[in-house]
Amino acid sequence: MSEGHWIVNTVIAGHPVDFNMDTLVTMWAAMLFLLVVSFIATRNLSIFPSKLQYVFESVLGYFKNLTDSMIGRDGKKHFPLIASLFLFIVTANLMGQLPWKIMELKSGELASPTNDINLTAGLAIIVLVYYVATGIMKKGARFFFKGFGISDIIEFLVEILDMFTRPLTLALRLFGNILAGEILVGTLLGLFAFGAFPAMLFEVMVACIQALVFTMLTVVYIASAINDEG
């Protein structure tokens, strides 16, 4: 169960800044893990793939087909972001199931980096900036303005509001589900150890589903930003 964050205070350019070091440590651990596993999986590529190569090819193939079907011929341009988002988020989510509690910290504890709203909000802002920039490059000013009538102005204001709520819902959904799952598992472990095992298996499924939901919604947002309708 989360006991707060391991916060480090420092001063940058004369301004006090706080860092959630537990989030930074586990975030970089997730990225390092992906780099190492990706290197191993692609070091000796073969037409008769190893199990690790097969897993990577299956995951990447799924998202390649997803982007092609939902975005169209421009799907391959956005595939690297989509695949990277899923691989990072699912890895970060699953890190909460590791026995981090054996590492004693003065404050806080190590857990999934995605149980920190700062990280999930950062991911959501990346998605927001990316799909808005993609829409502008594809449609220009037409991405925001379809005309100059009253109905068009109202639609423009609604679209701006929607742009702010989309990253908010992405961030809150991922953060809330991962944090709630870790609290549940931690509580059950405190009551009876063996009873927490089914909950941990359930949280593994939730971790994968939430990564998939975040990624698929990102694909939907990008597709809506560059399609030619409206």
Side-chain angles (χ1 to χ4, degrees):
M1 184 167 59
S2 178
E3 299 174 353
H5 289 285
W6 169 23
I7 300 176
V8 173
N9 311 105
T10 187
V11 177
I12 299 179
H15 299 282
V17 179
D18 297 335
F19 292 98
N20 291 348
M21 289 303 297
D22 53 318
T23 300
L24 291 176
V25 168
T26 51
M27 178 186 71
W28 281 100
M31 291 190 288
L32 179 61
F33 172 81
L34 282 175
L35 287 173
V36 172
V37 173
S38 299
F39 173 76
I40 296 173
T42 58
R43 185 177 55 178
N44 296 309
L45 295 178
S46 171
I47 58 173
F48 302 104
S50 62
K51 292 181 180 180
L52 184 59
Q53 181 184 334
Y54 176 77
V55 169
F56 265 73
E57 288 180 351
S58 299
V59 172
L60 296 181
Y62 172 80
F63 286 104
K64 178 66 168 60
N65 293 333
L66 179 68
T67 53
D68 288 345
S69 62
M70 296 187 67
I71 299 177
R73 63 179 181 274
D74 291 332
K76 63 182 179 181
K77 298 179 183 178
H78 311 288
F79 168 71
L81 172 72
I82 301 303
S84 298
L85 270 177
F86 175 78
L87 290 174
F88 172 74
I89 293 174
V90 74
T91 302
N93 290 350
L94 290 172
M95 292 188 73
Q97 307 307 315
L98 297 177
W100 295 109
K101 294 182 184 294
I102 63 175
M103 300 178 64
E104 295 290 338
L105 301 179
K106 292 183 178 180
S107 62
E109 63 182 24
L110 297 177
S112 298
T114 43
N115 84 349
D116 187 342
I117 188 64
N118 295 290
L119 177 63
T120 61
L123 292 172
I125 290 172
I126 290 173
V127 172
L128 170 66
V129 172
Y130 186 89
Y131 88 77
V132 169
T134 300
I136 293 174
M137 288 189 292
K138 180 72 174 182
K139 300 179 179 179
R142 191 165 57 88
F143 178 66
F144 295 105
F145 298 98
K146 295 182 175 64
F148 296 96
I150 295 298
S151 62
D152 296 311
I153 294 175
I154 294 175
E155 185 177 350
F156 165 73
L157 295 175
V158 172
E159 182 66 24
I160 293 298
L161 178 62
D162 187 45
M163 286 181 184
F164 283 98
T165 57
R166 283 180 177 181
L168 179 62
T169 56
L170 280 175
L172 290 178
R173 180 186 295 110
L174 180 58
F175 160 72
N177 281 281
I178 299 305
L179 179 61
E182 291 187 354
I183 291 175
L184 173 63
V185 172
T187 301
L188 290 176
L189 281 173
L191 295 175
F192 43 97
F194 293 105
F197 183 71
M200 293 177 69
L201 293 179
F202 177 74
E203 285 309 311
V204 169
M205 181 181 68
V206 170
C208 296
I209 291 175
Q210 289 304 314
L212 183 60
V213 169
F214 191 105
T215 307
M216 292 191 71
L217 286 175
T218 300
V219 176
V220 171
Y221 297 158
I222 294 173
S224 66
I226 66 176
N227 67 34
D228 294 324
E229 298 178 1

